[in-house]
Amino acid sequence: EAGVTQFPSHSVIEKGQTVTLRCDPISGHDNLYWYRRVMGKEIKFLLHFVKESKQDESGMPNNRFLAERTGGTYSTLKVQPAELEDSGVYFCASSQVQRNSPLHFGNGTRLTVT
Amino acid sequence: AQSVTQPDIHITVSEGASLELRCNYSYGATPYLFWYVQSPGQGLQLLLKYFSGDTLVQGIKGFEAEFKRSQSSFNLRKPSVHWSDAAEYFCAVGVWKAAGNKLTFGGGTRVLVKP
């Protein structure tokens, strides 16, 4: 079974530019999550989709971040305009909609804003 | 709100020696607990999970963890470390919310393995 796929693996952009990250979950996983790790700090929750619906976006830092999951398959996370403090590793994870279903993470996208 | 503490930021261990990584959590109910590992250049890989039942949990790569409710701990152990175990390890507590498990992570413990 293919795992969670994220791309790009790395992105370097200038402050003020726009970046879009993509996540393809494991097939059949209706839950999709975004997490972020900034500069060696804790991995923090950003938001959670069930199929195409946003269930919890309490971790989104501000309105420069927009996540979508059209059709309930892959998801995108857009940062517009990017700021220096947005640099970090963005992880996507997916799971089945079951209490005992663990999250399976992708390899992450390392975003550097200069 | 739940929280997770991993007291050790770095641990250095000799190859073949035993390893124990500490994890303490704060949560009002019975938690779902996880250990993940991130090897260099890789994503987060699930090592093991605890949802209920037997408090000693076996995972992949020879790791095990023990849930101790009285100590609010979920320490990770391995009897004999291999050089490939050099990585960063994360403990997490999960809360079932809105049909999903929302994870709160500890700060991570980086393990260095000496030959």
Side-chain angles (χ1 to χ4, degrees):
Chain A
E1 143 184 290
V4 176
T5 305
Q6 293 185 247
F7 49 93
S9 57
H10 293 83
S11 180
V12 180
I13 61 172
E14 293 183 354
K15 176 181 172 180
Q17 289 185 322
T18 297
V19 64
T20 300
L21 314 181
R22 174 170 168 147
C23 169
D24 287 75
I26 293 172
S27 177
H29 282 191
D30 287 337
N31 275 331
L32 188 148
Y33 312 79
W34 285 96
Y35 285 78
R36 177 175 77 166
R37 190 181 194 196
V38 174
M39 285 300 293
K41 295 190 176 180
E42 290 90 353
I43 301 168
K44 295 281 195 184
F45 168 84
L46 294 179
L47 88 160
H48 165 217
F49 286 97
V50 177
K51 296 186 179 179
E52 68 276 5
S53 299
K54 290 178 188 175
Q55 293 296 301
D56 182 353
E57 50 184 328
S58 60
M60 295 288 264
N62 50 60
N63 59 10
R64 295 186 293 103
F65 289 76
L66 175 64
E68 294 179 321
R69 192 181 182 196
T70 306
T73 54
Y74 71 91
S75 174
T76 59
L77 180 64
K78 181 190 289 188
V79 185
Q80 178 182 30
E83 298 288 346
L84 298 178
E85 63 265 26
D86 300 332
S87 296
V89 181
Y90 290 76
F91 291 103
C92 176
S94 71
S95 75
Q96 296 177 331
V97 181
Q98 292 176 243
R99 282 181 179 269
N100 63 352
S101 178
L103 275 64
H104 298 268
F105 283 82
N107 284 353
T109 293
R110 180 173 294 278
L111 175 63
T112 302
V113 183
T114 63
Chain B
Q2 63 276 11
S3 65
V4 178
T5 301
Q6 293 180 247
D8 304 303
I9 298 175
H10 293 98
I11 284 182
T12 300
V13 60
S14 296
E15 192 168 14
S18 64
L19 174 69
E20 181 167 12
L21 304 182
R22 295 183 290 165
C23 172
N24 292 96
Y25 68 89
S26 172
Y27 182 57
T30 300
Y32 298 153
L33 295 162
F34 308 85
W35 276 99
Y36 285 87
V37 60
Q38 186 178 21
S39 299
Q42 302 296 311
L44 293 167
Q45 182 181 23
L46 179 68
L47 280 177
L48 47 78
K49 59 190 183 291
Y50 172 78
F51 288 100
S52 64
D54 193 346
T55 56
L56 185 62
V57 180
Q58 301 298 319
I60 62 171
K61 303 185 179 186
F63 284 92
E64 67 177 25
E66 187 170 11
F67 170 53
K68 292 186 177 179
R69 184 189 303 275
S70 61
Q71 298 177 19
S72 297
S73 69
F74 189 56
N75 294 348
L76 182 71
R77 298 192 293 256
K78 185 169 184 176
S80 177
V81 168
H82 187 261
W83 63 266
S84 60
D85 294 322
E88 192 163 18
Y89 293 78
F90 297 92
C91 180
V93 61
V95 175
W96 180 252
K97 176 182 177 182
N101 269 311
K102 183 176 182 179
L103 300 187
T104 298
F105 284 88
T109 298
R110 190 172 295 278
V111 173
L112 304 176
V113 180
K114 296 190 301 184

